[in-house]
């Protein structure tokens, strides 16, 4: 066999390419070299297979990491795949209809082709505090999931020779029946009763997994949570769910976000709300006060003559937008604290102020009354 080309070169992507870029690149190459599109080019099928092999490795985080370290010696397998496998394995990236749908129905294998089994999804809930929501965070999560059994490579068979195509359906997983009806002959396909749709029969079971083809495995999975997520949102990691019994594609890991409420700060969209009480002395004379933010304490200035209900804005101290549209603000609602109990000394001071000229409210002279504020709010 000729020496293998570098997988990144095969797909024409950089070593730093993201999963999405790799998928796009593979899609392009596969369409270009699809054998049905290149009937006169005998090398097309090889190039098509080469691309599928490269994609199989580079689309899987573990296999890709091994390949990056050890190259083609990484023992990742791959190679010598038959066309059917390629179609069923990667068909989904060509859209809902698979290859068949994509290439206009003139597909291979027809409708009876064995469908790739997908394992079940794993669901976890992830609690995040406000700081983590605001800035994004990488979490390492311990999950128990089914992975392919190592000794039997997920087939469930003791040896390679213990795995045979099902005799009833000839590996198709489906049996077709021709039924005569008043309208003529109809073909109905149903799941093969012998192999239950798997297409393969295991004659001697693997000792490790007892024929299941998978094992429970505890794993720590790093998850990058983008900034700006919100309660109830669901993130999904492809292929990090359970591996199905005896081969197929693993399901996904679904992560449901839960927000832990902050003691003092409240979230409103991408903004943070905070209510700050000040004494009426500070409101009258002005003051410099400290308020909490998601990045720690910040000093703000209260102007002399501040009325209760005033809202101050700390620009850019809110939550990063999930779609990258900047960052929210922190809004500080100033309330004036009225003492509930006063000492006799304080009472004396307050009594002196009671009738002082500037301590008598004059509604007509207020900057903004309650009604104006309400109107403004609803505008
Ligand atoms: Zn069968
Ligand atoms: Zn096994």
């Amino acid at each position: 066999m000729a020496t293998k080309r570098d997988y990144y070169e095969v797909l024409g992507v950089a070593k730093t390419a993201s999963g999405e870029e790799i998928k796009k690149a593979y899609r392009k190459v596969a369409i270009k070299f699809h054998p049905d599109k290149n009937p006169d080019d005998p090398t097309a099928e090889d190039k098509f297979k080469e691309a599928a092999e490269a994609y199989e490795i580079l689309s899987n985080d573990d296999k890709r990491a091994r390949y990056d370290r050890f190259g083609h010696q990484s023992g990742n397998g791959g190679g010598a795949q038959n066309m059917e496998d390629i179609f069923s394995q990667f068909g989904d990236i060509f859209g809902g209809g698979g290859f068949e749908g994509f290439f206009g129905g003139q597909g291979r294998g027809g409708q009876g082709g064995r469908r790739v089994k997908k394992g079940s999804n794993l669901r976890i809930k992830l609690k995040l505090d406000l700081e983590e929501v605001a800035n994004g965070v990488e979490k390492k999560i311990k999950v128990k999931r089914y992975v392919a059994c190592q000794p039997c490579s997920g087939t469930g068979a003791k040896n390679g020779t213990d795995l045979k195509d099902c005799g009833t359906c000839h590996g198709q997983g489906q049996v077709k029946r021709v039924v005569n009806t008043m309208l003529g002959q109809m073909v109905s396909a149903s799941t093969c009763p012998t192999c239950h749709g798997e297409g393969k029969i295991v004659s001697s079971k693997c000792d490790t997994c007892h024929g299941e083809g998978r094992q429970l495995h505890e794993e720590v999975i790093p998850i990058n949570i983008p900034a700006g997520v919100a309660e109830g949102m669901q993130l999904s990691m492809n292929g990090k769910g359970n591996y199905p019994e005896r081969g197929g594609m693993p399901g996904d890991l679904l992560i449901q976000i839960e927000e832990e409420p902050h003691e003092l700060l409240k979230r409103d969209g991408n903004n943070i709300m905070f209510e700050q009480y000040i004494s009426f002395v500070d409101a009258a004379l002005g003051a410099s006060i400290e308020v909490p933010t998601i990045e720690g304490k910040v000093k703000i200035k209260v102007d002399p003559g501040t009325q209760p209900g005033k809202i101050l804005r700390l620009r850019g101290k809110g939550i990063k937008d999930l779609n990258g549209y900047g960052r929210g603000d922190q809004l500080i609602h100033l309330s004036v604290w009225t003492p509930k109990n006063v000492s006799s000394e304080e009472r004396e001071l307050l009594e002196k102020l009671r009738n002082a000229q500037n301590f008598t409210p004059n509604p007509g002279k207020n900057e903004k009354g309650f009604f104006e504020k309400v109107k403004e709010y609803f505008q």
Side-chain angles (χ1 to χ4, degrees):
M1 203 167 119
T3 41
K4 282 190 182 181
R5 279 207 297 156
D6 177 69
Y7 288 147
Y8 292 97
E9 192 187 314
V10 169
L11 296 184
V13 293
K15 286 226 193 289
T16 52
S18 68
E20 199 49 43
E21 286 168 326
I22 286 170
K23 191 169 170 177
K24 263 195 196 148
Y26 168 58
R27 197 169 185 271
K28 239 169 88 183
V29 177
I31 290 167
K32 189 172 166 197
F33 293 115
H34 190 282
D36 288 354
K37 297 248 150 174
N38 300 275
D40 304 323
D41 180 3
T43 66
E45 183 163 337
D46 287 340
K47 285 182 180 145
F48 185 76
K49 284 181 179 175
E50 190 185 28
E53 184 186 326
Y55 181 66
E56 186 195 343
I57 303 301
L58 298 186
S59 63
N60 177 303
D61 290 347
D62 296 339
K63 288 182 178 177
R64 183 179 178 185
R66 248 180 290 156
Y67 174 72
D68 285 344
R69 284 188 67 189
F70 305 113
H72 289 299
Q73 269 71 53
S74 59
N76 272 326
Q81 306 187 40
N82 71 41
M83 296 296 284
E84 267 344 304
D85 281 348
I86 296 175
F87 290 123
S88 52
Q89 198 172 352
F90 300 129
D92 67 309
I93 79 165
F94 292 85
F99 271 102
E100 277 81 11
F102 194 78
F103 290 104
Q106 289 301 313
R108 308 169 157 250
Q111 285 203 316
R114 195 156 60 84
R115 304 193 65 185
V116 167
K117 250 189 307 169
K118 200 176 171 195
S120 58
N121 294 335
L122 266 181
R123 283 165 204 280
I124 55 163
K125 287 182 174 171
L126 185 60
K127 271 199 172 155
L128 299 175
D129 62 31
L130 194 59
E131 284 88 345
E132 292 169 333
V133 166
N135 299 308
V137 65
E138 193 197 83
K139 286 271 186 189
K140 290 193 164 62
I141 295 177
K142 209 186 258 184
V143 293
K144 259 197 178 156
R145 56 187 283 249
Y146 280 106
V147 295
C149 171
Q150 293 274 336
C152 66
S153 316
T155 61
K158 200 169 200 168
N159 299 298
T161 50
D162 297 327
L163 189 68
K164 293 208 171 61
D165 271 359
C166 168
T168 308
C169 63
H170 308 289
Q172 294 298 302
Q174 281 189 337
V175 282
K176 285 182 188 151
R177 254 185 331 139
V178 178
V179 188
N180 288 307
T181 72
M182 277 168 65
L183 302 172
Q185 286 194 334
M186 312 247 295
V187 178
S188 83
S190 55
T191 304
C192 171
T194 311
C195 64
H196 307 292
E198 291 180 3
K200 304 269 183 200
I201 295 289
V202 174
S203 56
S204 182
K205 290 175 179 172
C206 162
D207 291 330
T208 309
C209 63
H210 310 292
E212 212 181 309
R214 60 180 191 172
Q215 284 177 295
L216 261 184
H217 169 76
E218 198 170 68
E219 202 172 316
V220 176
I221 299 177
I223 302 177
N224 264 316
I225 308 291
V229 294
E231 175 84 22
M233 272 186 188
Q234 187 171 273
L235 308 175
S236 128
M237 287 181 89
N238 287 344
K240 290 292 184 191
N242 287 318
Y243 188 82
E245 290 187 10
R246 288 175 294 283
M249 287 191 349
D252 303 328
L253 174 62
L254 306 176
I255 303 137
Q256 179 147 15
I257 301 295
E258 289 186 333
E259 277 185 66
E260 258 178 303
H262 191 278
E263 211 185 335
L264 302 167
L265 304 173
K266 284 219 164 24
R267 175 180 187 181
D268 178 32
N270 285 340
N271 292 333
I272 300 284
M273 313 295 241
F274 176 66
E275 183 164 35
Q276 172 74 49
Y277 276 90
I278 55 177
S279 73
F280 63 72
V281 179
D282 282 346
L285 303 180
S288 170
I289 55 170
E290 266 190 347
V291 295
T293 74
I294 41 180
E295 291 160 344
K297 295 205 168 206
V298 165
K299 266 209 169 115
I300 57 164
K301 209 178 132 238
V302 174
D303 288 333
T306 291
Q307 299 301 326
K310 185 170 183 178
I311 290 171
L312 303 176
R313 183 185 292 260
L314 293 174
R315 288 208 183 272
K317 295 280 186 213
I319 289 166
K320 267 194 201 162
D321 185 79
L322 184 60
N323 300 311
Y325 300 126
R327 191 162 196 145
D329 304 325
Q330 177 163 330
L331 303 177
I332 299 157
H333 180 249
L334 291 178
S335 292
V336 170
W337 176 255
T338 308
K340 290 177 179 166
N341 301 300
V342 291
S343 65
S344 54
E345 210 176 321
E346 287 161 347
R347 173 172 295 277
E348 218 174 290
L349 288 168
L350 290 172
E351 286 291 0
K352 274 188 194 161
L353 288 174
R354 192 200 287 273
N355 297 316
Q357 189 189 356
N358 291 311
F359 274 72
T360 308
N362 182 343
K365 280 190 183 167
N366 280 348
E367 297 157 28
K368 258 179 212 166
F370 173 65
F371 295 107
E372 277 98 336
K373 275 193 189 164
V374 171
K375 243 167 88 183
E376 210 175 72
Y377 183 83
F378 285 108
Q379 253 167 17

